[in-house]
Amino acid sequence: MSSSYLSAAEPNELLVVNFATESNYYPFEYLNEQQELEGFDIDIANAVCRAANLSCSFHPQSFDSLLLTLQFGRFDAVIAALDITDERKEKVDFSDSYYKNPPVFVSVKSSSDEFSIAGKFIGVKANTSNQDYLIRYAKEDSFIISYLTVSDALIDLKNGKIDGAFADYAVIADFLKQEENEKYFSIRRTENMFIHEFSQGYGIAVKKGNDQLRERLNLGLKKIVENGTYQKIYDLYF
């Protein structure tokens, strides 16, 4: 069902919502061994759907095409660790934020507390708010290398091909838990300004003007926070 039909529904009616997402951004959305979508975002969306009388399905797409799927009416909503930024709000509308955490720089461990990215090669996922932020506000004469996935950047970091990577805290925290990565790498800087001045946190995107669906999603988010479901899901992943 397209967004134009959704907007005509009454709040007490069951709405069918087709979510676009991605499938390679652990722990937010990923495929399990059965090739089924799982992750923090998926669990949050399912909980919101149950709380707000929505019948939801999830469809993996390439990250850089997600917002376009809304504009062309292919899907009704997008949940994919999307930062709410002023630039994105010109194209789509967002629910209230459901997750806030600043991204971090990860690099080789050092005995020094000082960390600078000047003159260094820094990997970041392409076409993301993290990349946009680096280019606009935190380039510091570094060389920004874009990757299809954060995993690709972290592989190059381990192989010494780049000096550092810039990604969401939860993704880097998971990386440090794997194998013996924590022996050799650490979070060197947390980019707090990102949350304070650039992003309002993660939100669920809907087509511009689809207030009916946006409000229903906000209702669901409010309910799962109040009844403790949100905290249970958060504790499961973080």
Side-chain angles (χ1 to χ4, degrees):
M1 184 181 293
S2 71
S3 299
S4 59
Y5 291 105
L6 286 170
S7 62
E10 294 298 325
N12 61 342
E13 288 186 49
L14 176 69
L15 301 183
V16 176
V17 183
N18 294 308
F19 277 91
T21 185
E22 67 166 334
S23 59
N24 189 25
Y25 201 59
Y26 187 94
F28 294 99
E29 42 268 324
Y30 59 93
L31 295 175
N32 63 20
E33 292 180 356
Q34 290 74 43
Q35 297 301 296
E36 299 166 333
L37 273 170
E38 290 186 353
F40 176 74
D41 282 353
I42 307 303
D43 286 359
I44 289 293
N46 275 320
V48 166
C49 291
R50 287 191 294 270
N53 197 24
L54 306 172
S55 176
C56 299
S57 59
F58 301 88
H59 310 272
Q61 307 291 310
S62 63
F63 184 83
D64 57 359
S65 71
L66 287 174
L67 296 186
L68 286 174
T69 69
L70 294 181
Q71 294 170 299
F72 290 118
R74 289 186 59 204
F75 297 100
D76 304 304
V78 172
I79 187 164
L82 282 176
D83 283 292
I84 304 169
T85 65
D86 290 338
E87 183 179 16
R88 284 176 175 163
K89 286 194 290 186
E90 293 176 0
K91 301 174 182 176
V92 297
D93 288 337
F94 281 96
S95 70
D96 295 336
S97 176
Y98 64 89
Y99 177 87
K100 291 183 180 180
N101 223 330
V104 299
F105 290 96
V106 60
S107 186
V108 175
K109 276 190 170 182
S110 171
S111 57
S112 172
D113 291 334
E114 295 182 8
F115 177 73
S116 171
I117 64 172
K120 295 180 180 177
F121 291 88
I122 304 297
V124 65
K125 184 176 179 179
N127 302 309
T128 61
S129 52
N130 285 345
Q131 182 189 38
D132 191 34
Y133 173 83
L134 272 186
I135 293 171
R136 293 188 182 192
Y137 302 105
K139 194 170 187 294
E140 297 175 17
D141 295 321
S142 62
F143 302 94
I144 298 172
I145 312 299
S146 61
Y147 289 85
L148 184 61
T149 69
V150 174
S151 298
D152 292 337
L154 294 173
I155 289 170
D156 273 6
L157 177 64
K158 289 181 69 173
N159 291 332
K161 294 182 178 180
I162 57 176
D163 301 299
F166 186 63
D168 293 333
Y169 170 80
V171 176
I172 298 304
D174 179 70
F175 164 75
L176 293 175
K177 292 176 185 176
Q178 298 171 18
E179 302 170 351
E180 295 186 329
N181 291 339
E182 203 163 16
K183 279 187 177 182
Y184 307 104
F185 303 96
S186 65
I187 292 172
R188 301 300 311 281
R189 190 171 90 194
T190 301
E191 203 68 6
N192 290 309
M193 193 185 84
F194 185 94
I195 290 296
H196 296 154
E197 300 184 25
F198 182 74
S199 168
Q200 291 90 58
Y202 289 174
I204 302 171
V206 299
K207 189 175 183 178
K208 201 80 176 168
N210 192 355
D211 294 337
Q212 186 78 11
L213 178 55
R214 181 181 57 80
E215 290 170 5
R216 187 78 74 90
L217 292 169
N218 283 341
L219 173 65
L221 284 169
K222 184 174 184 288
K223 284 184 174 182
I224 68 171
V225 169
E226 291 175 347
N227 66 22
T229 300
Y230 177 91
Q231 191 62 48
K232 289 179 181 177
I233 296 171
Y234 185 94
D235 292 344
L236 181 65
Y237 288 94
F238 308 120

mmCIF file with all atom_site columns, all heavy atoms in Angstrom, residues 59-72:
data_model
loop_
_atom_site.group_PDB
_atom_site.id
_atom_site.type_symbol
_atom_site.label_atom_id
_atom_site.label_alt_id
_atom_site.label_comp_id
_atom_site.label_asym_id
_atom_site.label_entity_id
_atom_site.label_seq_id
_atom_site.pdbx_PDB_ins_code
_atom_site.Cartn_x
_atom_site.Cartn_y
_atom_site.Cartn_z
_atom_site.occupancy
_atom_site.B_iso_or_equiv
_atom_site.pdbx_formal_charge
_atom_site.auth_seq_id
_atom_site.auth_comp_id
_atom_site.auth_asym_id
_atom_site.auth_atom_id
_atom_site.pdbx_PDB_model_num
ATOM 1   N N   . HIS A 1 59 ? 12.035 -4.799 3.617  1.00 0.00 ? 59 HIS A N   1
ATOM 2   C CA  . HIS A 1 59 ? 12.574 -5.110 2.303  1.00 0.00 ? 59 HIS A CA  1
ATOM 3   C C   . HIS A 1 59 ? 13.962 -4.491 2.152  1.00 0.00 ? 59 HIS A C   1
ATOM 4   O O   . HIS A 1 59 ? 14.091 -3.270 2.044  1.00 0.00 ? 59 HIS A O   1
ATOM 5   C CB  . HIS A 1 59 ? 11.635 -4.577 1.226  1.00 0.00 ? 59 HIS A CB  1
ATOM 6   C CG  . HIS A 1 59 ? 10.201 -4.988 1.440  1.00 0.00 ? 59 HIS A CG  1
ATOM 7   N ND1 . HIS A 1 59 ? 9.694  -6.168 0.944  1.00 0.00 ? 59 HIS A ND1 1
ATOM 8   C CD2 . HIS A 1 59 ? 9.185  -4.396 2.136  1.00 0.00 ? 59 HIS A CD2 1
ATOM 9   C CE1 . HIS A 1 59 ? 8.415  -6.283 1.300  1.00 0.00 ? 59 HIS A CE1 1
ATOM 10  N NE2 . HIS A 1 59 ? 8.090  -5.219 2.031  1.00 0.00 ? 59 HIS A NE2 1
ATOM 11  N N   . PRO A 1 60 ? 15.025 -5.317 2.143  1.00 0.00 ? 60 PRO A N   1
ATOM 12  C CA  . PRO A 1 60 ? 16.390 -4.782 2.018  1.00 0.00 ? 60 PRO A CA  1
ATOM 13  C C   . PRO A 1 60 ? 16.619 -4.113 0.678  1.00 0.00 ? 60 PRO A C   1
ATOM 14  O O   . PRO A 1 60 ? 16.216 -4.627 -0.371 1.00 0.00 ? 60 PRO A O   1
ATOM 15  C CB  . PRO A 1 60 ? 17.264 -6.032 2.160  1.00 0.00 ? 60 PRO A CB  1
ATOM 16  C CG  . PRO A 1 60 ? 16.396 -7.067 2.802  1.00 0.00 ? 60 PRO A CG  1
ATOM 17  C CD  . PRO A 1 60 ? 15.012 -6.777 2.324  1.00 0.00 ? 60 PRO A CD  1
ATOM 18  N N   . GLN A 1 61 ? 17.261 -2.943 0.729  1.00 0.00 ? 61 GLN A N   1
ATOM 19  C CA  . GLN A 1 61 ? 17.625 -2.180 -0.458 1.00 0.00 ? 61 GLN A CA  1
ATOM 20  C C   . GLN A 1 61 ? 19.042 -1.655 -0.254 1.00 0.00 ? 61 GLN A C   1
ATOM 21  O O   . GLN A 1 61 ? 19.579 -1.687 0.841  1.00 0.00 ? 61 GLN A O   1
ATOM 22  C CB  . GLN A 1 61 ? 16.671 -0.988 -0.647 1.00 0.00 ? 61 GLN A CB  1
ATOM 23  C CG  . GLN A 1 61 ? 15.200 -1.344 -0.641 1.00 0.00 ? 61 GLN A CG  1
ATOM 24  C CD  . GLN A 1 61 ? 14.786 -2.141 -1.854 1.00 0.00 ? 61 GLN A CD  1
ATOM 25  O OE1 . GLN A 1 61 ? 15.098 -1.752 -2.980 1.00 0.00 ? 61 GLN A OE1 1
ATOM 26  N NE2 . GLN A 1 61 ? 14.078 -3.235 -1.648 1.00 0.00 ? 61 GLN A NE2 1
ATOM 27  N N   . SER A 1 62 ? 19.658 -1.153 -1.327 1.00 0.00 ? 62 SER A N   1
ATOM 28  C CA  . SER A 1 62 ? 20.962 -0.518 -1.170 1.00 0.00 ? 62 SER A CA  1
ATOM 29  C C   . SER A 1 62 ? 20.777 0.773  -0.388 1.00 0.00 ? 62 SER A C   1
ATOM 30  O O   . SER A 1 62 ? 19.788 1.497  -0.569 1.00 0.00 ? 62 SER A O   1
ATOM 31  C CB  . SER A 1 62 ? 21.595 -0.232 -2.534 1.00 0.00 ? 62 SER A CB  1
ATOM 32  O OG  . SER A 1 62 ? 20.806 0.685  -3.270 1.00 0.00 ? 62 SER A OG  1
ATOM 33  N N   . PHE A 1 63 ? 21.739 1.079  0.483  1.00 0.00 ? 63 PHE A N   1
ATOM 34  C CA  . PHE A 1 63 ? 21.586 2.212  1.394  1.00 0.00 ? 63 PHE A CA  1
ATOM 35  C C   . PHE A 1 63 ? 21.370 3.523  0.642  1.00 0.00 ? 63 PHE A C   1
ATOM 36  O O   . PHE A 1 63 ? 20.525 4.335  1.024  1.00 0.00 ? 63 PHE A O   1
ATOM 37  C CB  . PHE A 1 63 ? 22.807 2.320  2.300  1.00 0.00 ? 63 PHE A CB  1
ATOM 38  C CG  . PHE A 1 63 ? 22.691 3.413  3.332  1.00 0.00 ? 63 PHE A CG  1
ATOM 39  C CD1 . PHE A 1 63 ? 22.009 3.199  4.511  1.00 0.00 ? 63 PHE A CD1 1
ATOM 40  C CD2 . PHE A 1 63 ? 23.258 4.663  3.104  1.00 0.00 ? 63 PHE A CD2 1
ATOM 41  C CE1 . PHE A 1 63 ? 21.873 4.206  5.455  1.00 0.00 ? 63 PHE A CE1 1
ATOM 42  C CE2 . PHE A 1 63 ? 23.133 5.686  4.044  1.00 0.00 ? 63 PHE A CE2 1
ATOM 43  C CZ  . PHE A 1 63 ? 22.439 5.446  5.220  1.00 0.00 ? 63 PHE A CZ  1
ATOM 44  N N   . ASP A 1 64 ? 22.132 3.739  -0.414 1.00 0.00 ? 64 ASP A N   1
ATOM 45  C CA  . ASP A 1 64 ? 22.062 5.037  -1.095 1.00 0.00 ? 64 ASP A CA  1
ATOM 46  C C   . ASP A 1 64 ? 20.767 5.250  -1.871 1.00 0.00 ? 64 ASP A C   1
ATOM 47  O O   . ASP A 1 64 ? 20.512 6.354  -2.364 1.00 0.00 ? 64 ASP A O   1
ATOM 48  C CB  . ASP A 1 64 ? 23.280 5.255  -2.004 1.00 0.00 ? 64 ASP A CB  1
ATOM 49  C CG  . ASP A 1 64 ? 23.459 4.166  -3.037 1.00 0.00 ? 64 ASP A CG  1
ATOM 50  O OD1 . ASP A 1 64 ? 22.641 3.221  -3.051 1.00 0.00 ? 64 ASP A OD1 1
ATOM 51  O OD2 . ASP A 1 64 ? 24.411 4.239  -3.819 1.00 0.00 ? 64 ASP A OD2 1
ATOM 52  N N   . SER A 1 65 ? 19.929 4.214  -1.973 1.00 0.00 ? 65 SER A N   1
ATOM 53  C CA  . SER A 1 65 ? 18.655 4.377  -2.685 1.00 0.00 ? 65 SER A CA  1
ATOM 54  C C   . SER A 1 65 ? 17.463 4.454  -1.737 1.00 0.00 ? 65 SER A C   1
ATOM 55  O O   . SER A 1 65 ? 16.330 4.641  -2.181 1.00 0.00 ? 65 SER A O   1
ATOM 56  C CB  . SER A 1 65 ? 18.436 3.199  -3.648 1.00 0.00 ? 65 SER A CB  1
ATOM 57  O OG  . SER A 1 65 ? 18.156 1.997  -2.935 1.00 0.00 ? 65 SER A OG  1
ATOM 58  N N   . LEU A 1 66 ? 17.700 4.353  -0.438 1.00 0.00 ? 66 LEU A N   1
ATOM 59  C CA  . LEU A 1 66 ? 16.592 4.205  0.506  1.00 0.00 ? 66 LEU A CA  1
ATOM 60  C C   . LEU A 1 66 ? 15.613 5.373  0.474  1.00 0.00 ? 66 LEU A C   1
ATOM 61  O O   . LEU A 1 66 ? 14.400 5.172  0.389  1.00 0.00 ? 66 LEU A O   1
ATOM 62  C CB  . LEU A 1 66 ? 17.143 4.034  1.928  1.00 0.00 ? 66 LEU A CB  1
ATOM 63  C CG  . LEU A 1 66 ? 17.788 2.673  2.217  1.00 0.00 ? 66 LEU A CG  1
ATOM 64  C CD1 . LEU A 1 66 ? 18.418 2.677  3.602  1.00 0.00 ? 66 LEU A CD1 1
ATOM 65  C CD2 . LEU A 1 66 ? 16.754 1.552  2.113  1.00 0.00 ? 66 LEU A CD2 1
ATOM 66  N N   . LEU A 1 67 ? 16.111 6.586  0.552  1.00 0.00 ? 67 LEU A N   1
ATOM 67  C CA  . LEU A 1 67 ? 15.196 7.727  0.597  1.00 0.00 ? 67 LEU A CA  1
ATOM 68  C C   . LEU A 1 67 ? 14.486 7.933  -0.733 1.00 0.00 ? 67 LEU A C   1
ATOM 69  O O   . LEU A 1 67 ? 13.349 8.399  -0.766 1.00 0.00 ? 67 LEU A O   1
ATOM 70  C CB  . LEU A 1 67 ? 15.952 8.991  1.018  1.00 0.00 ? 67 LEU A CB  1
ATOM 71  C CG  . LEU A 1 67 ? 16.531 8.954  2.435  1.00 0.00 ? 67 LEU A CG  1
ATOM 72  C CD1 . LEU A 1 67 ? 17.124 10.308 2.806  1.00 0.00 ? 67 LEU A CD1 1
ATOM 73  C CD2 . LEU A 1 67 ? 15.495 8.525  3.465  1.00 0.00 ? 67 LEU A CD2 1
ATOM 74  N N   . LEU A 1 68 ? 15.146 7.571  -1.823 1.00 0.00 ? 68 LEU A N   1
ATOM 75  C CA  . LEU A 1 68 ? 14.501 7.679  -3.130 1.00 0.00 ? 68 LEU A CA  1
ATOM 76  C C   . LEU A 1 68 ? 13.294 6.759  -3.232 1.00 0.00 ? 68 LEU A C   1
ATOM 77  O O   . LEU A 1 68 ? 12.307 7.087  -3.910 1.00 0.00 ? 68 LEU A O   1
ATOM 78  C CB  . LEU A 1 68 ? 15.500 7.342  -4.242 1.00 0.00 ? 68 LEU A CB  1
ATOM 79  C CG  . LEU A 1 68 ? 16.561 8.398  -4.551 1.00 0.00 ? 68 LEU A CG  1
ATOM 80  C CD1 . LEU A 1 68 ? 17.553 7.854  -5.575 1.00 0.00 ? 68 LEU A CD1 1
ATOM 81  C CD2 . LEU A 1 68 ? 15.931 9.692  -5.049 1.00 0.00 ? 68 LEU A CD2 1
ATOM 82  N N   . THR A 1 69 ? 13.343 5.609  -2.557 1.00 0.00 ? 69 THR A N   1
ATOM 83  C CA  . THR A 1 69 ? 12.198 4.687  -2.617 1.00 0.00 ? 69 THR A CA  1
ATOM 84  C C   . THR A 1 69 ? 10.949 5.318  -2.019 1.00 0.00 ? 69 THR A C   1
ATOM 85  O O   . THR A 1 69 ? 9.831  4.995  -2.431 1.00 0.00 ? 69 THR A O   1
ATOM 86  C CB  . THR A 1 69 ? 12.503 3.364  -1.895 1.00 0.00 ? 69 THR A CB  1
ATOM 87  O OG1 . THR A 1 69 ? 12.609 3.587  -0.473 1.00 0.00 ? 69 THR A OG1 1
ATOM 88  C CG2 . THR A 1 69 ? 13.771 2.709  -2.409 1.00 0.00 ? 69 THR A CG2 1
ATOM 89  N N   . LEU A 1 70 ? 11.127 6.218  -1.056 1.00 0.00 ? 70 LEU A N   1
ATOM 90  C CA  . LEU A 1 70 ? 9.979  6.933  -0.489 1.00 0.00 ? 70 LEU A CA  1
ATOM 91  C C   . LEU A 1 70 ? 9.451  7.963  -1.476 1.00 0.00 ? 70 LEU A C   1
ATOM 92  O O   . LEU A 1 70 ? 8.242  8.069  -1.694 1.00 0.00 ? 70 LEU A O   1
ATOM 93  C CB  . LEU A 1 70 ? 10.377 7.639  0.810  1.00 0.00 ? 70 LEU A CB  1
ATOM 94  C CG  . LEU A 1 70 ? 10.755 6.787  2.005  1.00 0.00 ? 70 LEU A CG  1
ATOM 95  C CD1 . LEU A 1 70 ? 11.100 7.684  3.182  1.00 0.00 ? 70 LEU A CD1 1
ATOM 96  C CD2 . LEU A 1 70 ? 9.625  5.836  2.387  1.00 0.00 ? 70 LEU A CD2 1
ATOM 97  N N   . GLN A 1 71 ? 10.371 8.705  -2.046 1.00 0.00 ? 71 GLN A N   1
ATOM 98  C CA  . GLN A 1 71 ? 9.961  9.774  -2.954 1.00 0.00 ? 71 GLN A CA  1
ATOM 99  C C   . GLN A 1 71 ? 9.222  9.241  -4.174 1.00 0.00 ? 71 GLN A C   1
ATOM 100 O O   . GLN A 1 71 ? 8.339  9.904  -4.711 1.00 0.00 ? 71 GLN A O   1
ATOM 101 C CB  . GLN A 1 71 ? 11.193 10.591 -3.367 1.00 0.00 ? 71 GLN A CB  1
ATOM 102 C CG  . GLN A 1 71 ? 11.814 11.357 -2.201 1.00 0.00 ? 71 GLN A CG  1
ATOM 103 C CD  . GLN A 1 71 ? 13.169 11.960 -2.550 1.00 0.00 ? 71 GLN A CD  1
ATOM 104 O OE1 . GLN A 1 71 ? 14.119 11.265 -2.883 1.00 0.00 ? 71 GLN A OE1 1
ATOM 105 N NE2 . GLN A 1 71 ? 13.256 13.279 -2.479 1.00 0.00 ? 71 GLN A NE2 1
ATOM 106 N N   . PHE A 1 72 ? 9.596  8.023  -4.609 1.00 0.00 ? 72 PHE A N   1
ATOM 107 C CA  . PHE A 1 72 ? 8.936  7.422  -5.773 1.00 0.00 ? 72 PHE A CA  1
ATOM 108 C C   . PHE A 1 72 ? 7.777  6.507  -5.384 1.00 0.00 ? 72 PHE A C   1
ATOM 109 O O   . PHE A 1 72 ? 7.178  5.865  -6.239 1.00 0.00 ? 72 PHE A O   1
ATOM 110 C CB  . PHE A 1 72 ? 9.949  6.652  -6.610 1.00 0.00 ? 72 PHE A CB  1
ATOM 111 C CG  . PHE A 1 72 ? 10.932 7.539  -7.332 1.00 0.00 ? 72 PHE A CG  1
ATOM 112 C CD1 . PHE A 1 72 ? 12.289 7.460  -7.072 1.00 0.00 ? 72 PHE A CD1 1
ATOM 113 C CD2 . PHE A 1 72 ? 10.496 8.475  -8.253 1.00 0.00 ? 72 PHE A CD2 1
ATOM 114 C CE1 . PHE A 1 72 ? 13.194 8.281  -7.724 1.00 0.00 ? 72 PHE A CE1 1
ATOM 115 C CE2 . PHE A 1 72 ? 11.386 9.304  -8.921 1.00 0.00 ? 72 PHE A CE2 1
ATOM 116 C CZ  . PHE A 1 72 ? 12.735 9.209  -8.652 1.00 0.00 ? 72 PHE A CZ  1
#
